[in-house]
């Protein structure tokens, strides 16, 4: 593990400098689960104190790049969107209009996601999307006749988000996949609000499944334009429901 030395830029602390060097090595050389050298060894290599190294490792832990456990050396971990996701959920709960900001972002990301899926999805990728849709249908079928079960509705929203995540994964773009994973909690809250005043009947949920099935079929046929239109129709309907439930006028589609 040959770390390079770099000069500290103006405004950059020694800990930040060390954190950037370690980050570069993590992406260049290391696999998940690999342990970093001890604090003592890192301090000797960078000619800094152990306190500085400790602060650098805390910075990396805060970014989700390493796992710090008492009594054990720092280990590389898979970055996740937990912090970003928590921020989005907090924003939505503190500002009701933020859910519309999320919808605007989602619109752009979903178009890119389904376009890449049409171009790049492998057979296994299509199978994953198909499985996600099958879970949605199974949950919809479990909704009792003539009544709306809250737990079933919540499970359906989770499955709905997984469908969109599987589209992103099939497209093969790791950044998009990460963003959809990070937005999971916020999207579930968005779906919950958009369906707040809907009768969550079995037929309604199955109809939503049919709409998602159209997206899947267009991806299977690699018809980008049709897939985008079908996906935007889902988002438009969700946004209209959000505006209706919040008492806002529905804007015309851009």
């Amino acid at each position: 593990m040959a770390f390079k030395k770099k000069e500290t830029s103006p405004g950059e602390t020694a800990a930040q400098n060390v954190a950037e060097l370690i980050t570069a090595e993590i992406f260049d050389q290391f696999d998940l689960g690999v342990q970093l050298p001890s604090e003592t060894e890192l301090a000797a290599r960078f000619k800094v104190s152990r306190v500085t190294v400790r602060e650098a490792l805390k910075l990396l832990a805060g970014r989700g790049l390493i796992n710090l456990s008492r009594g054990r050396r720092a280990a590389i971990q898979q970055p996740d969107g937990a912090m970003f996701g928590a921020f989005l959920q907090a924003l939505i709960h503190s500002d009701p209009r933020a859910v519309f900001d999320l919808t605007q972002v989602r619109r752009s990301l979903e178009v890119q996601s389904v376009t890449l899926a049409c171009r790049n999805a492998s057979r296994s990728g299509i199978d994953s999307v198909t499985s996600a849709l099958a879970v949605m249908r199974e949950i919809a079928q479990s909704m009792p006749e003539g009544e709306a079960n809250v737990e079933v509705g919540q499970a359906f929203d989770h499955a709905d988000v997984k469908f969109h995540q599987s589209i992103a994964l099939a497209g093969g773009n790791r950044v998009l996949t990460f963003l959809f994973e990070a937005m999971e909690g916020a999207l579930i809250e968005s779906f919950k609000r958009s369906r707040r005043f809907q009768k969550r009947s079995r037929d309604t949920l199955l109809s939503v499944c049919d709409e998602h099935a159209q997206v899947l079929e267009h991806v299977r046929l690699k018809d980008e334009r049709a897939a985008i239109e079908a996906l935007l129709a889902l988002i438009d309907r969700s946004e209209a429901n959000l505006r209706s439930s919040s008492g806002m006028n529905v804007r015309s589609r851009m």
Side-chain angles (χ1 to χ4, degrees), residues 106-121 129 163-164 166-171 176 180 212 214-220 222-232 234-235:
R106 179 191 168 200
R107 189 181 297 275
S108 298
L109 294 179
E110 293 268 23
V111 167
Q112 184 68 14
S113 175
V114 78
T115 298
L116 291 175
C118 287
R119 296 176 183 178
N120 304 326
V129 181
F163 174 91
H164 292 273
S166 66
I167 291 283
L169 185 61
L176 268 177
F180 273 93
H212 284 67
Q214 292 178 22
V215 176
L216 171 57
E217 184 60 20
H218 295 316
V219 171
R220 195 193 311 274
K222 299 186 180 298
D223 188 338
E224 294 180 22
R225 182 173 181 176
I228 290 171
E229 290 180 352
L231 196 52
L232 287 178
L234 291 175
I235 299 174

Side-chain angles (χ1 to χ4, degrees), residues 13-236:
T13 67
Q16 289 172 326
N17 179 33
V18 172
E20 294 305 321
L21 289 170
I22 296 176
T23 297
E25 293 296 330
I26 287 174
F27 287 116
D28 285 345
Q29 300 183 20
F30 292 104
D31 295 321
L32 299 180
V34 172
Q35 290 186 326
L36 293 177
S38 67
E39 290 182 2
T40 300
E41 184 177 351
L42 291 173
R45 291 188 182 188
F46 295 124
K47 296 181 172 55
V48 295
S49 68
R50 289 184 60 187
V51 173
T52 297
V53 170
R54 195 169 298 125
E55 289 302 313
L57 294 178
K58 288 180 180 179
L59 288 173
L60 296 180
R63 298 173 189 173
L65 292 177
I66 64 172
N67 178 48
L68 292 177
S69 300
R70 185 179 296 276
R72 300 182 61 184
R73 286 190 293 167
I76 311 301
Q77 68 176 10
Q78 175 71 48
D80 62 46
M83 294 179 65
F84 179 53
F87 164 76
L88 286 178
Q89 288 182 270
L91 186 62
I92 287 174
H93 285 291
S94 64
D95 180 4
R97 295 184 63 88
V99 71
F100 297 103
D101 294 334
L102 175 65
T103 300
Q104 289 179 341
V105 172
R106 179 191 168 200
R107 189 181 297 275
S108 298
L109 294 179
E110 293 268 23
V111 167
Q112 184 68 14
S113 175
V114 78
T115 298
L116 291 175
C118 287
R119 296 176 183 178
N120 304 326
S122 63
R123 178 175 297 180
S124 62
I126 294 295
D127 287 345
S128 294
V129 181
T130 303
S131 296
L133 179 59
V135 172
M136 290 178 65
R137 287 197 184 280
E138 182 179 352
I139 294 172
Q141 290 285 2
S142 71
M143 179 68 80
E145 285 282 7
E147 60 180 292
N149 183 285
V150 174
E151 291 184 358
V152 174
Q154 292 175 341
F156 187 83
D157 290 341
H158 280 77
D160 193 341
V161 171
K162 293 298 183 185
F163 174 91
H164 292 273
Q165 289 177 342
S166 66
I167 291 283
L169 185 61
N173 186 296
R174 291 180 297 173
V175 174
L176 268 177
T177 301
F178 174 86
L179 289 173
F180 273 93
E181 290 175 351
M183 293 192 303
E184 179 172 343
L187 287 176
I188 289 172
E189 179 64 23
S190 174
F191 289 175
K192 174 183 175 182
R193 294 188 186 189
S194 72
R195 296 163 179 165
R196 183 179 299 168
F197 298 116
Q198 286 184 316
K199 183 180 179 181
R200 307 293 296 276
S201 68
R202 180 187 299 180
D203 288 343
T204 299
L205 296 186
L206 287 174
S207 177
V208 173
C209 291
D210 290 340
E211 293 168 348
H212 284 67
Q214 292 178 22
V215 176
L216 171 57
E217 184 60 20
H218 295 316
V219 171
R220 195 193 311 274
L221 296 175
K222 299 186 180 298
D223 188 338
E224 294 180 22
R225 182 173 181 176
I228 290 171
E229 290 180 352
L231 196 52
L232 287 178
L234 291 175
I235 299 174
D236 285 345

Side-chain angles (χ1 to χ4, degrees), residues 236-251:
D236 285 345
R237 187 173 295 105
S238 177
E239 184 175 12
N241 290 335
L242 278 171
R243 293 184 181 278
S244 177
S245 66
S246 64
M248 299 175 63
N249 291 327
V250 181
R251 68 170 176 80

